Amino acid sequence: MARLLITGGAGFIGSHTCLVLLEAGHELVVLDNYANSSPEALRRVAELAGPGAANHLHVIEGDIRQPGDLERAFTAGRAITASAQSANAAGIDAVIHFAGLKAVGESVAEPLRYWDVNVTGSRQLLAAMAANGCRTLVFSSSATLYGYPDTVPIPESAPVCPINPYGHSKAAVERMLADVAASEPGWRIASLRYFNPVGAHPSGRIGEDPNGIPNNLFPFISQVAVGRREQVQVFGGDWPTADGSGVRDYIHVMDLAEGHLAALEVLLAGEDQQLTLNLGSGQGHSVLEVIRAFEAACGQRIPYVITSRRSGDAASTVADPGHAKSLLSWQTSRTLQEMCRDGWAWQSANPDGYR
Ligand SMILES: NC(=O)c1ccc[n+]([C@@H]2O[C@H](COP(=O)([O-])OP(=O)(O)OC[C@H]3O[C@@H](n4cnc5c(N)ncnc54)[C@H](O)[C@@H]3O)[C@@H](O)[C@H]2O)c1
C-alpha cells in the first residue's frame, strides 16, 4: 500500500486511474478544483471499488496553484496511517499529476491560462512535494509534444516540436521536471505521453464528460449518437491515409489507467530515475473507421460530414509503445470495438454526463 496524491483525480483519466489504484489497495488523496469535472465521478469511483473503498479515498477541493490547498493535501496524506511497505514516513509516497487544461483550441485563444494552470500549477506542486519530502511523480504528458512527426510509429526520441500553447505548456513541464531531477538526488519521475485516451469503465458508471462542445472525436461521436449533437465533422478527407481521413492511436482509458499503476510500481520499486514513455496501442485507426466501429456498438447510424482539414492536425499519429512495454511490462489489451462498446455504455446511461 502506498499513500498517493492524485491531482485532477475527478477528471476523465484521473477517475479511471483512481479506481484501478483503489482496487490495487492504495490510499488516495485527490486534489481537484472541479474546473472540468464533478464530485459525482469520485462518489461513483468509490462505489465501483466496493464496500469500504470510500475510507481509502480522501477528497480535497482545491487548486494546484494555491500552496495552501497543496499543503492541505499533504497534511491529509500525513494523517493516513503508514503501512510497513510505505516508503515515506513523512506522508504522501508519490504524486500522480493529472490536473491541467487540455483543449488545444482554447489554449490558442487563452495561452496565459494554459501557462498558469499547466506550468505554474506544476511548479507549485513540485515545490510542495520538495517541501514535504516527496520526490516521486507520474506526470500526464501528451503526444501533442511531437507536433508534425517525421517518423510514424513515433518513438520517444522523436523531436519535441509542439505546435500550440497546450503542447508548449506540456513541453515546458517536461523540461522543468528534467531540471528538478538534475538538481538533487532522490527524484523518481515518469512523464507519460498519452496518445488518444477514449472509452470508459465497462460498467458505464464513469466516463468522459467534457464541458461544452467536445474537442475530441470520441466524445463528439458519442454525443451525436445520443442525440445531443447533429453530426460529426470529419476534418479532411484527403489525407495520405488509406481512406483519406486522419489516423490516430486510440487507447482505452482502462488500459491507460493500468499503465499508471505499472509506472507507479516501477518508480516506487526503483532508485532515482527519469522515464519518458509513450502510452499508446501502437495501432492506428482512421476517423471513418472509428465512426463505423461506433455505429456497430450503438446500433445506429452516425451522421457525419467531411470538411476541410483543420490547421495543426497531422495525417497520422501512432505511438511506438515498445519502451513502455519493456520498462513497465505493460501493454494495451483492449480493442477499438471495446473502446466503442464501453464509451457507448457510459454515454447511453448518462446522456448528460454527471449532471
Ligand atoms: N484526454 C486526453 O486526450 C489527454 C491526452 C494527453 C494528455 N492529457 C493530459 O492528461 C491529464 C488529464 O486529462 P483528462 O482527459 O482526464 O482531463 P480532465 O479535464 O477530464 O481532467 C483534468 C482534471 O484536473 C482538474 N483541474 C483542472 N485545473 C485544476 C487546478 N488548477 N487545480 C486542481 N484541479 C484542476 C479538472 O477539474 C479535472 O478534474 C491532463 O493533464 C491532460 O492534459 C489528456
Side-chain angles (χ1 to χ4, degrees):
M1 181 279 273
R3 291 165 297 175
L4 308 172
L5 169 58
I6 316 292
T7 74
F12 171 44
I13 305 167
S15 55
H16 291 77
T17 306
C18 283
L19 178 56
V20 165
L21 296 168
L22 283 172
E23 287 173 342
H26 296 299
E27 290 280 343
L28 310 185
V29 177
V30 169
L31 177 66
D32 201 304
N33 68 355
Y34 305 120
N36 194 35
S37 57
S38 159
E40 175 64 10
L42 292 170
R43 205 191 58 71
R44 295 191 189 183
V45 164
E47 167 199 296
L48 286 169
N55 298 331
H56 306 284
L57 178 62
H58 312 268
V59 180
I60 293 182
E61 181 170 354
D63 194 305
I64 52 165
R65 292 165 295 178
Q66 298 299 332
D69 292 349
L70 287 163
E71 209 38 57
R72 280 197 292 139
F74 280 96
T75 302
R78 274 191 292 278
I80 300 168
T81 314
S83 78
Q85 295 107 321
S86 193
N88 179 10
I92 296 290
D93 299 303
V95 176
I96 305 186
H97 179 30
F98 294 107
L101 304 177
K102 61 168 181 177
V104 169
E106 187 183 68
S107 80
V108 175
E110 300 176 66
L112 294 181
R113 230 179 111 216
Y114 275 67
W115 281 86
D116 184 32
V117 176
N118 292 1
V119 182
T120 307
S122 298
R123 185 231 163 261
Q124 299 292 48
L125 173 66
L126 286 164
M129 288 177 67
N132 283 278
C134 174
R135 290 183 173 74
T136 304
L137 174 72
V138 177
F139 169 60
S140 294
S141 190
S142 170
T144 197
L145 284 180
Y146 297 119
Y148 302 112
D150 293 333
T151 318
V152 179
I154 311 171
E156 289 88 352
S157 55
V160 169
C161 303
I163 51 173
N164 53 60
Y166 168 62
H168 292 145
S169 73
K170 290 289 179 188
V173 176
E174 281 201 8
R175 185 65 256 165
M176 179 161 50
L177 294 176
D179 290 347
V180 166
S183 69
E184 58 173 345
W187 285 92
R188 300 180 288 190
I189 297 175
S191 291
L192 305 181
R193 295 177 176 170
Y194 314 153
F195 278 66
N196 295 72
V198 298
H201 187 266
S203 64
R205 294 289 292 154
I206 55 173
E208 185 168 13
D209 182 21
N211 278 338
I213 300 172
N215 297 289
N216 297 332
L217 176 67
F218 229 83
F220 209 107
I221 293 179
S222 38
Q223 290 192 7
V224 169
V226 86
R228 269 172 71 179
R229 310 205 176 265
E230 208 177 310
Q231 60 185 6
V232 178
Q233 264 186 294
V234 178
F235 298 108
D238 56 354
W239 293 103
T241 59
D243 63 19
S245 65
V247 168
R248 296 289 175 273
D249 182 332
Y250 296 95
I251 171 170
H252 195 296
V253 66
M254 293 306 296
D255 278 329
L256 187 59
E258 289 163 9
H260 287 76
L261 178 62
L264 182 79
E265 285 172 350
V266 165
L267 289 184
L268 287 174
E271 297 297 318
D272 300 12
Q273 54 186 325
Q274 218 197 340
L275 306 175
T276 301
L277 299 171
N278 287 339
L279 293 193
S281 70
Q283 286 208 334
H285 293 289
S286 75
V287 174
L288 296 181
E289 221 182 311
V290 174
I291 292 176
R292 279 193 299 275
F294 209 93
E295 286 179 334
C298 70
Q300 64 192 66
R301 210 176 62 79
I302 308 283
Y304 69 87
V305 57
I306 298 181
T307 62
S308 52
R309 292 181 186 184
R310 198 170 45 171
S311 86
D313 278 348
S316 176
T317 309
V318 177
D320 174 349
H323 210 174
K325 187 177 173 188
S326 61
L327 281 172
L328 306 183
S329 306
W330 165 93
Q331 61 184 329
T332 63
S333 64
R334 293 161 178 94
T335 62
L336 178 62
Q337 284 66 34
E338 289 170 291
M339 300 177 207
C340 295
R341 179 199 67 193
D342 297 341
W344 178 238
W346 153 253
Q347 193 70 74
S348 54
N350 305 272
D352 296 315
Y354 291 111
R355 282 166 292 282

